[in-house]
Amino acid sequence: MSLLAAAGLWGPPGLLLTFALHPALCLRPAPTSGPPHRDYCVLGAGPAGLQMAYFLQRAGRDYAVFERAPRPGSFFTRYPRHRKLISINKRHTGKANAEFNLRHDWNSLLSHDARLLFRHYSSAYFPDAGDMVRYLDDFADRLGLHVLYNTTIAHVTLNKDRQAWNGHYFILTDQMGHAHRCSVLLVATGLSVPNQVDFPGSEYTEGYESVSVDPKDFEGQNVLILGRGNSAFETAENILGVTNFIHMLSRSRVRLSWATHYVGDLRAINNGLLDTYQLKSLDGLLESDLTDLAIVKDREGKFRVTLKFFLEEGNQSADAITLPQDDNDNFAMRVAYDRVIRCLGWNFDFSIFDKSLRLSSGGEFSKKYPLVKASYESKGSRGLFVLGTASHSVDYRKSAGGFIHGFRYTARAVHRLLEHRHHGVAWPSTEHPISQLTSSIVRRINEASGLYQMFGVLADVVLLKENATAFEYLEELPVQMLAQLETITGRRARHGLFVINMEYGRNFSGPDKDVFFHDRSVGHTEDAWQSNFLHPVIYYYRHLPTEQEVRFRPADWALPRPTAIHHIVEDFLTDWTAPVGHILPLRRFLENCLDTDLRSFYAGNLSSWKDRVSELEVERRPGRSASPEVSGFTSRNLNLRIRLSTA
């Protein structure tokens, strides 16, 4: 029964109680006037924004997503212009392991709902962009994510307050003039501003964002495309069969993704023009800095390429301007063009962010991407994080952080960081006896998608307990944050640690590399350190590296110089489960680092006699000397191929 229903409450004792409570009621702080407050605001309901919303919702956090369009994924309603995505949708792998299958599913977001896998939305290996719109719509709807559609944030600024989590609140003003306040701002707006190069005649160019996608509009025309990325080649592929010829001009040579191992470089699906160029079928590629050139329009309405230098000689009419062929009749671009198309990529939209947020330094690279740390937090404003494509500066041309199959994992890493910083929830980990160390590593390197896709950026960390009797396993930590591990995770690294990273060979990636050379694959365990293709690398540290060691690590190293290092030899099937070729060398490396016996791993998986027979077979192989990786040795005689002294 409530107090108000008590029989005696309305008598004199009840009146006395009312008067006694009245002063206390009056002392409650009055509600503060101002904009509605949320702990987390997410800008943009594209893939990155929805992915972060999912993590916030699962954790029960106070958040809202602001989206200017009436539905999620508005970018994909228009782009790519020719509607074919270049993110693969591999529906069959021969495996039932869901985590492994995500390695080859470049479109799905992470969730607990198996219905929200992209393979249910398209059977095409390279899906239509409309399928992505439909998928994102279902992702937001089925999971009940809190998205405010038709809400355009027009301005973002700071309001300093000592009581705020980060010493200030973020104030977001929408198109109606309504203000919204939050403690943490998560920017997932992508890259939306077409990159333009200012040169004389640039006004004659048509942009990728607006040029016709109907091949009939280009029949019998001479076309010049400025740019050399996937949007440029996608545009060329669409009109290749109807034009007189296509010339493609850019300041640098073409970068092929199979040579650079960077998915943002030119993909094979779009490279038909390379065939027609090299097989001399009129199309061609040229290199020149656009800022040195100029485009002039002749009296017939055709476009001519000349040098900017010639325009600066004086104010001349278009027909009187000097053309390069006037001095050199073999000038490559001496023909007239009917169309000039600009396909120069995209930049981040800084316009809505107040300068007090310090998102840009004004440098050339920061015109494309906001300035962020390895934690994806803004360098200029604590509590402002950049997600998705716009966060790609952290691993530009190195890994997959600018694409769904990469940033779905970096978004999860950011969420884990926020959970610890603001809610006291330590980075997820599992604890195991040391006898399970080998099996834990083997499982992750063979299944984990985050490690596989964000190679060199996210790594697993094994934290050893005292006397190496047990360990904690942390998944997908940003490797450049290793020195701050204890601060950002709430875990302790007092007794040594292993870092499990995925890497390509250091001399195997680049636009000038021949990645199809004869002896490109490494098959022998003793040569594992020379592996070229993506393979696991295990670093051992007696102590947590310092900030200085991380910052001044050796060139081209993902991590600081370790106490010991072990490469697991590359595998054609990316299946690192061979007892002799993969597991035995790994186990022996771990044993030598820990000065302990880990053979109990085999007790549950291989009989002890089979283990010993395998060792003897390798050690006695005819014509080969026993290699240090697969024959017995102690921590005192680790071969230099797998051990680097910090001294």
Side-chain angles (χ1 to χ4, degrees):
M1 181 180 292
S2 68
L3 286 175
L4 290 178
L9 184 60
W10 297 107
L15 288 174
L16 182 62
L17 178 62
T18 301
F19 285 119
L21 288 175
H22 180 69
L25 296 172
C26 293
L27 289 175
R28 287 182 182 177
T32 57
S33 59
H37 175 84
R38 295 178 178 86
D39 290 341
Y40 298 93
C41 286
V42 182
L43 294 190
L50 295 183
Q51 185 67 88
M52 178 53 75
Y54 168 76
F55 293 130
L56 291 170
Q57 180 139 317
R58 292 285 284 180
R61 303 306 172 201
D62 175 31
Y63 79 95
V65 182
F66 297 87
E67 171 55 47
R68 62 184 177 182
R71 64 188 301 189
S74 59
F75 180 87
F76 294 98
T77 62
R78 184 168 180 79
Y79 303 107
R81 293 297 313 284
H82 304 93
R83 310 311 292 148
K84 183 176 287 189
L85 300 175
I86 57 174
S87 47
I88 65 174
N89 177 39
K90 192 168 180 61
R91 299 169 65 237
H92 304 287
T93 65
K95 305 272 185 159
N97 185 284
E99 178 71 11
F100 174 87
N101 288 338
L102 279 171
R103 289 184 170 189
H104 309 288
D105 172 355
W106 291 11
N107 299 285
S108 294
L109 297 178
L110 305 178
S111 82
H112 63 282
D113 190 340
R115 297 173 300 171
L116 292 172
L117 291 172
F118 195 83
R119 61 186 175 87
H120 300 309
Y121 289 79
S122 175
S123 60
Y125 191 64
F126 293 107
D128 186 88
D131 295 327
M132 177 58 72
V133 176
R134 188 164 51 92
Y135 171 75
L136 295 176
D137 215 349
D138 278 2
F139 190 89
D141 184 55
R142 288 185 179 178
L143 297 172
L145 304 182
H146 304 155
V147 184
L148 302 177
Y149 295 110
N150 299 307
T151 305
T152 301
I153 299 301
H155 187 249
V156 181
T157 189
L158 288 177
N159 182 16
K160 294 189 180 297
D161 191 320
R162 292 182 179 179
Q163 295 183 346
W165 285 353
N166 297 293
H168 51 249
Y169 292 110
F170 297 96
I171 307 299
L172 287 60
T173 306
D174 63 28
Q175 79 274 26
M176 305 298 294
H178 300 145
H180 310 265
R181 190 181 77 168
C182 59
S183 299
V184 174
L185 179 60
L186 299 151
V187 179
T189 52
L191 305 181
S192 58
V193 179
N195 183 38
Q196 301 191 39
V197 176
D198 186 20
F199 59 89
S202 59
E203 66 273 15
Y204 297 128
T205 65
E206 303 173 75
Y208 169 80
E209 68 278 5
S210 58
V211 70
S212 171
V213 295
D214 186 353
K216 293 180 181 179
D217 293 339
F218 298 86
E219 284 193 9
Q221 294 187 351
N222 304 342
V223 178
L224 175 64
I225 296 178
L226 307 180
R228 192 154 300 170
N230 279 293
S231 62
F233 277 88
E234 168 205 332
T235 302
E237 196 78 14
N238 185 53
I239 59 177
L240 201 58
V242 299
T243 57
N244 293 334
F245 57 79
I246 300 171
H247 290 167
M248 192 173 287
L249 178 67
S250 181
R251 65 182 177 182
S252 59
R253 61 174 292 175
V254 65
R255 300 173 64 96
L256 303 170
S257 61
W258 66 66
T260 62
H261 302 114
Y262 172 61
V263 296
D265 284 333
L266 178 61
R267 304 286 298 286
I269 187 176
N270 286 327
N271 68 10
L273 189 136
L274 297 182
D275 268 4
T276 56
Y277 169 46
Q278 289 292 343
L279 299 177
K280 300 308 293 178
S281 186
L282 298 181
D283 305 311
L285 277 69
L286 297 151
E287 287 83 36
S288 179
D289 194 327
L290 296 180
T291 58
D292 293 333
L293 301 179
I295 295 175
V296 295
K297 191 174 184 179
D298 64 22
R299 65 179 63 186
E300 297 178 359
K302 306 278 188 177
F303 301 110
R304 301 274 185 172
V305 175
T306 186
L307 300 177
K308 182 179 178 182
F309 169 79
F310 291 146
L311 270 67
E312 296 171 347
E313 290 182 342
N315 294 323
Q316 302 170 318
S317 66
D319 293 325
I321 290 173
T322 304
L323 298 177
Q325 55 264 38
D326 296 337
D327 296 325
N328 178 7
D329 60 6
N330 194 36
F331 176 59
M333 291 186 292
R334 58 186 179 272
V335 295
Y337 297 97
D338 298 290
R339 312 280 283 266
V340 181
I341 305 172
R342 166 182 44 77
C343 301
L344 299 173
W346 305 90
N347 294 330
F348 181 77
D349 185 2
F350 292 93
S351 65
I352 69 171
F353 297 95
D354 191 86
K355 290 184 178 179
S356 62
L357 296 172
R358 296 179 293 170
L359 269 180
S360 173
S361 67
E364 190 63 32
F365 189 66
S366 66
K367 291 179 182 178
K368 185 175 182 69
Y369 295 110
L371 288 171
V372 296
K373 306 173 186 176
S375 61
Y376 303 94
E377 188 170 20
S378 166
K379 291 183 177 180
S381 299
R382 181 176 169 83
L384 191 160
F385 290 81
V386 180
L387 309 174
T389 303
S391 69
H392 195 28
S393 61
V394 172
D395 65 306
Y396 184 61
R397 294 200 183 281
K398 297 177 182 177
S399 198
F403 311 90
I404 292 175
H405 61 290
F407 65 62
R408 62 192 178 195
Y409 301 107
T410 60
R412 183 163 65 185
V414 170
H415 177 254
R416 288 170 173 172
L417 186 154
L418 291 170
E419 282 291 290
H420 179 247
R421 178 187 289 185
H422 298 304
H423 308 289
V425 179
W427 196 282
S429 72
T430 55
E431 188 166 335
H432 309 272
I434 201 66
S435 59
Q436 295 179 15
L437 179 57
T438 308
S439 60
S440 296
I441 294 175
V442 168
R443 180 183 63 83
R444 286 288 293 171
I445 63 176
N446 282 286
E447 296 178 359
S449 178
L451 279 183
Y452 192 83
Q453 296 296 359
M454 288 305 296
F455 56 89
V457 178
L458 300 180
D460 286 0
V461 179
V462 171
L463 302 178
L464 298 170
K465 298 296 185 179
E466 189 172 5
N467 298 323
T469 56
F471 64 93
E472 274 187 291
Y473 202 107
L474 282 64
E475 298 178 0
E476 296 164 19
L477 184 85
V479 292
Q480 297 311 309
M481 301 292 291
L482 185 61
Q484 303 170 47
L485 180 145
E486 294 188 338
T487 302
I488 67 174
T489 67
R491 307 294 178 183
R492 294 291 174 260
R494 301 297 169 82
H495 307 288
L497 64 152
F498 291 97
V499 179
I500 297 91
N501 196 29
M502 300 292 287
E503 300 177 12
Y504 279 96
R506 294 200 181 100
N507 297 311
F508 192 54
S509 302
D512 58 342
K513 300 294 184 182
D514 176 14
V515 294
F516 296 105
F517 66 92
H518 178 64
D519 291 323
R520 60 187 176 274
S521 66
V522 174
H524 298 306
T525 307
E526 63 266 32
D527 299 323
W529 64 286
Q530 294 180 310
S531 293
N532 288 311
F533 287 92
L534 193 65
H535 63 284
V537 183
I538 291 82
Y539 295 74
Y540 171 62
Y541 297 93
R542 291 194 182 96
H543 308 285
L544 191 65
T546 65
E547 290 272 14
Q548 188 174 18
E549 288 171 336
V550 172
R551 183 177 179 185
F552 297 106
R553 63 190 182 277
D556 299 324
W557 279 57
L559 288 160
R561 191 178 296 277
T563 305
I565 187 170
H566 177 70
H567 291 254
I568 299 180
V569 68
E570 66 183 54
D571 187 79
F572 184 72
L573 302 175
T574 61
D575 179 1
W576 292 281
T577 58
V580 174
H582 301 135
I583 297 175
L584 181 58
L586 170 63
R587 194 201 81 204
R588 286 187 162 167
F589 168 76
L590 299 174
E591 288 177 336
N592 278 273
C593 291
L594 302 176
D595 198 18
T596 191
D597 191 335
L598 298 175
R599 276 180 292 183
S600 58
F601 162 75
Y602 278 92
N605 296 272
L606 296 172
S607 63
S608 58
W609 66 265
K610 186 176 179 181
D611 177 19
R612 184 55 187 154
V613 167
S614 295
E615 293 186 36
L616 292 174
E617 286 177 348
V618 173
E619 292 171 1
R620 297 174 182 175
R621 189 178 302 164
R624 296 182 63 98
S625 59
S627 71
E629 292 93 340
V630 293
S631 59
F633 56 98
T634 68
S635 58
R636 297 184 181 87
N637 65 2
L638 274 170
N639 188 284
L640 287 176
R641 286 178 175 173
I642 64 167
R643 186 180 189 277
L644 295 173
S645 170
T646 54

